[in-house]
Every structure is written in structure tokens, then in C-alpha cells.
Amino acid sequence: MERSAVDTSVDPAAGGVPADGATVAAVLAVKSLRQAKSRLAATLWDSRATDRPGVRGSLVLAMFLDTVEALRGAGVTRIVVVSPDAEVLAAARRSGTRGLPESASPRAGSESGLNTAFGHGARWVRRTWPDSGRLLFVQADLPAATSTSFREVLAETPSDAPSFVTDRDGTGTVLLHGAVAPGDPVEAAPRFGPGSASAHREVGAVELDPAHRRWLDLRTDVDTATDLATARQLGLGPHTTRALRDI
């Protein structure tokens, strides 16, 4: 199912600006398109089919673009994506998003590589947008995420502590919010990867909606075919909907 329309309205009271009035900047990280989402490929195509990296890459790129559009609809206009992939960076430029090259390394595909990319983006934000007081690390595979959910999260983030939203099973992290400051635990050491919810609690981040009753669209990051089916039921963004027509 596709969302009937992209919500691009901005609530002046909450659209992209938390209660303390600071400007928000968002950082996303996308792996090389031909290497990303191997688990999704393993479950999306059955044993009789061959993984098609080009098609899979198009799907990864589409989910990223839908995530960006949902952020923009929430009033977050300062968005940077860190990636080693020239195609991702070119798509970011076309969409009005800043693209930041990531140097490929033997660990670039690992979760530690993801956190390194996030840290690289955070430092770039601090240098380039020094008036951005608040920072979002956002997973780039949220094709069902809506602007409404992002706005609500931003309106509820505490100004005096980092905060985060978990994935559907409550163990991972889809969004981490904190201050743009060299000593802030969020900027210094984002802890995405297996068990990241517990890891973020350990550095003092506050979990938003710990009962997991809200924001299912935002919590649905896509790593497997089951995740994609859930996102489809919630309503996919237009880029992901178009990409799936080729699968």
C-alpha cells in the first residue's frame, strides 16, 4: 500500500524544532548500494531466484529518499547523508540533501562502520551548521515513516538529555536525538547495531514511548522481507512503491 499523499505540512510549534527552539540537523548513513541489505535480499528472493544487486540497490536508495521526504515534511531541512556510494551522493544532491563522501574501509559494512559514518556526519554538521543545536541520527531504511511521527517525536524530545526511539522489537534504535556538542555522548559515540537500545540507555539516553504504543511507521526499519511486508501494510512512500514495481 502506498501513502495517498506525502505530508509536507509544517507545524510551526513543532515542525522540526524541539521545545528549546534549537535548529535540528539530521544525519543518515547509507552503505554501498551493491553491498547493502544482504539480509533483505536473502529473504526477498526465494532459493530459485538470484539476488539482483542493481534492483536491491534501487530499493535501498528509494527507502532512503522516502525517509528524507518524511523528515522534510516534519520541518527538518538540514539533512546530510554519509555514504561511500557515488550514486547515493548524487541522489542526495538531486533531492536537495547534502552528500558527504565516506571513505570505504574493510569495516565500512559493519555496524561499527555505521557508527563511524554517523560520527563523521555529526562533526561535519558542527563545522558547517554551527547554529544547529540539536542532532538526529536516523536510520535510512524507514519507507513507511511519516512526517507526523517525526514531528511528534521532535516535539517530545527532552532538551536536557539525549533520547531515542527503538525499532519494533524494542532492541534496536531507529532514531537517536541529542546535542551538537563535542562532549555530548550522542555525538561522541552513537551505538547503533545489535542491542543498541540498551547501549544508548547506558550513555544516559531517554527512551521515548517505552511502552511502544506509538510510531509504528517510524519503528519499521527494513532488514527482511517480513519487515518490508509490515511497512507495506502501514503505507509505503512513493519512491519505495515505484522501486517495488521492478521486483
Side-chain angles (χ1 to χ4, degrees), residues 30-220:
V30 179
K31 298 176 184 178
S32 168
L33 293 181
R34 298 190 68 83
Q35 298 175 359
K37 297 300 177 189
S38 56
R39 277 201 297 154
L40 177 60
T43 56
L44 192 58
W45 287 284
D46 62 30
S47 59
R48 295 169 296 174
T50 302
D51 179 19
R52 294 169 286 173
V55 175
R56 173 162 45 104
S58 296
L59 180 57
V60 171
L61 188 59
M63 292 192 292
F64 156 66
L65 291 172
D66 281 328
T67 306
V68 167
E69 286 197 4
L71 280 166
R72 278 221 186 84
V76 180
T77 58
R78 295 181 175 186
I79 304 172
V80 59
V81 58
V82 183
S83 178
D85 195 298
E87 187 175 352
V88 173
L89 299 178
R93 288 192 295 271
R94 289 193 298 270
S95 70
T97 303
R98 297 294 186 98
L100 186 61
E102 174 194 5
S103 297
S105 70
R107 303 185 69 186
S110 66
E111 298 300 344
S112 62
L114 173 64
N115 289 317
T116 298
F118 276 137
H120 183 32
R123 291 186 293 274
W124 185 91
V125 165
R126 180 155 40 87
R127 292 192 305 269
T128 308
W129 296 319
D131 60 329
S132 293
R134 309 300 290 174
L135 181 68
L136 293 178
F137 293 117
V138 184
Q139 294 280 25
D141 56 351
L142 309 177
T146 63
S147 301
T148 298
S149 291
F150 276 124
R151 279 201 301 270
E152 290 175 356
V153 167
L154 287 165
E156 297 184 23
T157 51
S159 60
D160 57 350
S163 57
F164 68 101
V165 176
T166 73
D167 59 12
R168 293 199 322 278
D169 69 14
T171 61
T173 304
V174 294
L175 180 149
L176 179 65
H177 177 273
V180 182
D184 186 87
V186 167
E187 181 184 334
R191 289 163 167 80
F192 286 84
S196 63
S198 295
H200 287 134
R201 288 188 196 97
E202 289 174 2
V203 297
V206 176
E207 181 177 355
L208 301 179
D209 182 33
H212 303 162
R213 295 193 180 99
R214 305 167 65 192
W215 310 318
L216 182 59
D217 58 300
L218 183 58
R219 297 179 187 276
T220 304

Side-chain angles (χ1 to χ4, degrees), residues 203-247:
V203 297
V206 176
E207 181 177 355
L208 301 179
D209 182 33
H212 303 162
R213 295 193 180 99
R214 305 167 65 192
W215 310 318
L216 182 59
D217 58 300
L218 183 58
R219 297 179 187 276
T220 304
D221 56 332
V222 174
D223 289 316
T224 67
T226 300
D227 297 333
L228 185 58
T230 299
R232 196 194 292 263
Q233 290 175 346
L234 291 167
L236 297 170
H239 297 282
T240 305
T241 298
R242 285 193 293 271
L244 285 173
R245 291 174 186 153
D246 294 329
I247 296 178

